[in-house]
Amino acid sequence: MSVACIEARRAGETIAQLTDVASLDHPESDSHITIFTDKTGVVKAARLLLSSVTKVLVLADKIVIKQIITSRNKVLATMEQLEKVSSFQEFVQIFSQFGNEMVEFAHLTGDRQNDLKDEKKKARMAASRAVLEKCTMMLLTASKTCLRHPDCESARINKDGVFHRMRLALEQVIEIVTDSRPNGENEMAPISIYSGIKEFKNKVEGLRENLYFLSKENLSTMLEVILEHTEDFTDSAYTSHEHREHILELSKQAKMELEQLVSVWMQAQNQKTKDLMEDLEVAILKTCQCMNELKREVHGAATSLAADLLKYHTDHMVLKALKITGVEGNLEAVAEYTCKLSEQKEQLVEMCRLLRHVSGTEPLEITCIHAEDTFQVTGPQIISAAETLALHPSSKIAKENLEVFCEAWESQLSDMSLLLREINDVFEGRRGEKRVYLSLPRPGKHNANLKALKPVKLDTEEQAKIAKLGLELHLLTSDVDSETEKWEDQENEIVQHGQGMSSMAYSMYLFTRGEGLLKTTQDLFHQAEIFATEGTKLASALHALSEQVHHDEKPLLLLEAEKLISMCKQLQIAAKASAQGKSATFTKVDACILKTRNVMTLLCQLLPLCCKLLRKKSRITKDVLIYFNQPPSYATAKVFRFCRCVWYVKVRKKWKKPYL
């Protein structure tokens, strides 16, 4: 690397010397400036510069990959030690080392994920890192449970499952960064109905340009593959009868349309007449339209099933029952609820498989596969953790272990709601990505203030605390997004501010994971200031709403608005406070994220309240207009006059004017 940098510097200096106008004796000739005379030398130096810079970049890439592999090897070695420990004291000591190594690995892989250009690899890396993040806490509680109850078979199975999953995730990270597969295997890309239909339509539409670029057997084979995948829907026990019938009808129609297309196509190859080419165009349009309808039908089947299942399992009744029966030591009840959890797992796994077919993009396909694997693995782990608790009902660590696995299940269900929304966004032509406010400092605007400030790296304990706050923030953004979706008027000012604040809070959550646009603590503080400003604007919108609601509801709304203003002021003060040194910076980061979380918690309460008040106001207005049975402007005037009369009678106790 040192040699490559020296070569690049020399090449740059050579170009600088050859193009130095000041060194020329006659810089000006015929009103033109001669920049250089040794053209061959400049070309040679430029080539040398390009090759040396390329060498620097390649070496830097190799160094980063080597760092990640070395970090992975450290983690694996420590994991082997953790598996063999037999005492709590030894376990605590080794796990502390393991935690430091995992933090280092997370930072390296996070930087690598941000550098990846391939969206598919980026999605796979994100999935692997998510597994490692969640499994670290599972490994802690599962290992402690196994140490506390060494003779318990279910505890051992639970712990072994966590170690196995972490090893698989570590291997996948190495496969991504080295772009290789174990034993030289080729990666089999999952084929979805969406991608199959897209490729099929491209081939069919290509017949307009060239009648001979593929054979009819190729088209028939492609359609057969697509229709085979539709069997995942028609054979599923969870697909509605209506959707199943429509999919079967469209599959049959697709075969007929292809037969008609092939017939006209073969004729057009032999004789290119105007009538035949028009018939071919009609056949192409009909075939593509049929495939679009099939795509729409499978999308409706998958998303409606997902929406129903996610809504049905929102209360987490089975998990709550497992916790209660486990603490009671009721083995029969635990066995009964584990069967129900297994059924729920099968439903959710099937849902993920169907969603993969309609995800629309490769990154979302990979996210669906990751979700399927998570449900497939976490279900049995919850069961083994519940069995351990039932066998040792007084064990606090066994109870904590079950809680951790249940939280992972609930978190994945919450992630599925976001995934479903992204899949719908892609289908409707919107980008299936989380909106991020680009409110970071821009060149020339804030550089004067930020130049002297250096980013601060936090230690393991501090990062763990920030990561915990970040996860809480993530859950709150999901709740806020769910609430904003319930509003009929998405253009409402309150909804707009709420969505903006949720998006900014999400970028702050990504900061705690070492991802996203916020790269330094200064970026975070600036984002916190923008977030607080947005919250103040929301408070103004709440004040405006309070003028429109019933007088009994106005004090509550004003009280909540004042709370919001107060919290936003506190956040602004915290974000603008000076912080010198590592300890002070951590305290400031902690305060900003904590106060942002508090604002988001209040926002979760405000949105449903405002939605309820607006619906009530809308319903009253509608009822009044119907009652008067007059055009809106006339009816509104009558209501206004009537209300003023009531106010004069009730409040002022006298008549001002004879309004009635």
Side-chain angles (χ1 to χ4, degrees), residues 58-268:
V58 170
L59 283 169
D61 195 59
K62 287 181 178 179
I63 290 168
V64 171
I65 292 172
K66 189 174 180 180
Q67 284 179 326
I68 293 174
I69 293 172
T70 304
S71 179
R72 186 279 310 256
N73 292 339
K74 285 182 186 177
V75 170
L76 283 175
T78 310
M79 281 176 65
E80 287 181 10
Q81 294 179 39
L82 282 172
E83 276 188 295
K84 297 173 184 177
V85 296
S86 55
S87 68
F88 269 101
Q89 186 176 0
E90 186 183 4
F91 172 78
V92 170
Q93 185 179 358
I94 297 174
F95 189 83
S96 176
Q97 177 188 341
F98 174 74
N100 292 333
E101 291 168 355
M102 281 300 296
V103 168
E104 180 192 358
F105 187 75
H107 278 288
L108 289 171
T109 53
D111 292 340
R112 186 67 177 180
Q113 180 182 324
N114 290 332
D115 292 338
L116 289 171
K117 303 302 179 188
D118 187 333
E119 290 298 324
K120 189 176 176 182
K121 286 183 179 179
K122 190 174 283 191
R124 289 179 61 210
M125 179 71 88
S128 299
R129 294 182 71 239
V131 169
L132 293 170
E133 180 185 335
K134 291 178 181 177
C135 282
T136 301
M137 181 55 71
M138 294 177 184
L139 185 142
L140 173 62
T141 56
S143 298
K144 286 166 67 178
T145 305
C146 211
L147 285 170
R148 181 62 57 86
H149 310 289
D151 300 326
C152 184
E153 181 67 14
S154 58
R156 186 190 61 77
I157 292 171
N158 186 256
K159 185 188 84 169
D160 290 347
V162 177
F163 275 94
H164 178 67
R165 195 172 182 216
M166 287 194 77
R167 286 193 175 97
L168 289 178
L170 288 166
E171 287 307 313
Q172 185 171 7
V173 169
I174 300 305
E175 288 171 20
I176 295 164
V177 298
T178 57
D179 201 16
S180 63
R181 300 284 292 174
N183 305 321
E185 299 173 8
N186 291 325
E187 183 184 358
M188 295 297 292
I191 301 172
S192 68
I193 291 176
Y194 262 31
S195 58
I197 288 177
K198 183 179 179 181
E199 187 179 356
F200 178 79
K201 283 174 60 183
N202 287 338
K203 297 290 185 185
V204 169
E205 290 171 345
L207 294 174
R208 295 188 179 109
E209 306 297 329
N210 188 346
L211 296 174
Y212 306 97
F213 81 105
L214 80 163
S215 65
K216 63 179 182 180
E217 288 78 14
N218 284 345
L219 271 184
S220 299
T221 302
M222 289 175 70
L223 182 61
E224 283 175 13
V225 171
I226 293 168
L227 297 183
E228 279 178 16
H229 286 311
T230 60
E231 291 175 5
D232 290 346
F233 287 82
T234 55
D235 295 346
S236 174
Y238 308 109
T239 303
S240 69
H241 177 71
E242 183 183 351
H243 281 302
R244 185 179 289 109
E245 290 298 316
H246 286 168
I247 291 169
L248 290 171
E249 287 174 12
L250 289 168
S251 299
K252 186 178 178 181
Q253 184 183 340
K255 290 179 182 178
M256 292 170 59
E257 296 293 353
L258 182 60
E259 287 176 7
Q260 180 63 26
L261 173 64
V262 169
S263 175
V264 178
W265 175 24
M266 292 299 106
Q267 293 177 41

Side-chain angles (χ1 to χ4, degrees), residues 249-484:
E249 287 174 12
L250 289 168
S251 299
K252 186 178 178 181
Q253 184 183 340
K255 290 179 182 178
M256 292 170 59
E257 296 293 353
L258 182 60
E259 287 176 7
Q260 180 63 26
L261 173 64
V262 169
S263 175
V264 178
W265 175 24
M266 292 299 106
Q267 293 177 41
Q269 282 183 340
N270 298 325
Q271 189 178 2
K272 286 187 178 180
T273 64
K274 185 179 179 181
D275 290 341
L276 279 174
M277 294 309 292
E278 287 177 356
D279 291 344
L280 179 63
E281 179 65 24
V282 170
I284 289 172
L285 291 173
K286 283 187 175 181
T287 304
C288 291
Q289 183 182 357
C290 181
M291 299 311 293
N292 286 335
E293 289 176 3
L294 179 61
K295 184 171 77 169
R296 190 178 298 109
E297 193 62 38
V298 294
H299 177 271
T303 53
S304 61
L305 169 65
D308 291 343
L309 282 177
L310 292 174
K311 185 177 180 181
Y312 181 73
H313 295 307
T314 304
D315 55 5
H316 309 299
M317 290 305 295
V318 175
L319 298 182
K320 291 175 182 175
L322 276 173
K323 293 174 189 176
I324 294 169
T325 53
V327 171
E328 292 172 351
N330 190 338
L331 288 169
E332 290 183 4
V334 167
E336 178 187 343
Y337 285 112
T338 53
C339 289
K340 290 184 178 180
L341 184 66
S342 297
E343 291 174 10
Q344 184 177 330
K345 181 202 76 174
E346 292 303 322
Q347 291 174 353
L348 294 170
V349 165
E350 184 75 7
M351 174 191 74
C352 293
R353 286 174 184 162
L354 299 184
L355 283 176
R356 179 176 65 80
H357 279 301
V358 301
S359 53
T361 65
E362 282 191 330
L364 290 180
E365 274 186 46
I366 290 165
T367 307
C368 289
I369 293 169
H370 164 66
E372 180 185 339
D373 292 341
T374 300
F375 286 124
Q376 198 77 267
V377 173
T378 311
Q381 288 180 319
I382 291 174
I383 291 171
S384 59
E387 289 171 350
T388 304
L389 179 58
L391 291 169
H392 308 279
S394 60
S395 174
K396 290 183 179 179
I397 184 58
K399 183 181 178 183
E400 181 188 355
N401 187 45
L402 178 58
E403 287 278 359
V404 167
F405 283 97
C406 288
E407 283 175 10
W409 183 274
E410 292 168 8
S411 173
Q412 188 58 53
L413 277 175
S414 176
D415 290 344
M416 288 307 298
S417 298
L418 295 175
L419 176 60
L420 179 60
R421 189 176 68 178
E422 289 183 347
I423 289 172
N424 283 325
D425 285 346
V426 170
F427 181 76
E428 292 168 9
R430 301 192 299 265
R431 288 175 64 86
E433 299 174 357
K434 184 79 180 180
R435 287 174 298 173
V436 179
Y437 267 57
L438 299 177
S439 56
L440 302 185
R442 288 165 175 76
K445 187 175 180 182
H446 298 280
N447 287 6
N449 296 330
L450 298 179
K451 210 167 188 179
L453 298 170
K454 296 180 180 179
V456 174
K457 190 172 181 180
L458 307 177
D459 61 30
T460 309
E461 186 180 346
E462 291 168 342
Q463 286 172 351
K465 185 177 180 182
I466 294 298
K468 184 175 181 295
L469 280 174
L471 287 174
E472 292 175 5
L473 206 56
H474 183 209
L475 293 173
L476 286 168
T477 59
S478 300
D479 292 341
V480 169
D481 290 343
S482 299
E483 289 297 335
T484 55

Side-chain angles (χ1 to χ4, degrees), residues 38-55:
D38 187 0
K39 189 173 182 179
T40 305
V42 172
V43 170
K44 186 178 178 181
R47 285 175 179 167
L48 180 61
L49 179 61
L50 283 172
S51 63
S52 56
V53 168
T54 303
K55 189 177 179 181

Side-chain angles (χ1 to χ4, degrees), residues 588-603:
K588 185 175 176 180
V589 169
D590 181 52
C592 285
I593 297 178
L594 183 64
K595 291 182 187 302
T596 302
R597 184 200 67 181
N598 294 341
V599 173
M600 290 295 289
T601 303
L602 180 61
L603 187 57

Side-chain angles (χ1 to χ4, degrees), residues 563-580:
K563 280 185 191 175
L564 181 60
I565 291 171
S566 175
M567 287 182 175
C568 290
K569 283 181 179 177
Q570 290 175 18
L571 177 56
Q572 281 183 327
I573 292 168
K576 290 178 180 178
S578 61
Q580 298 294 330

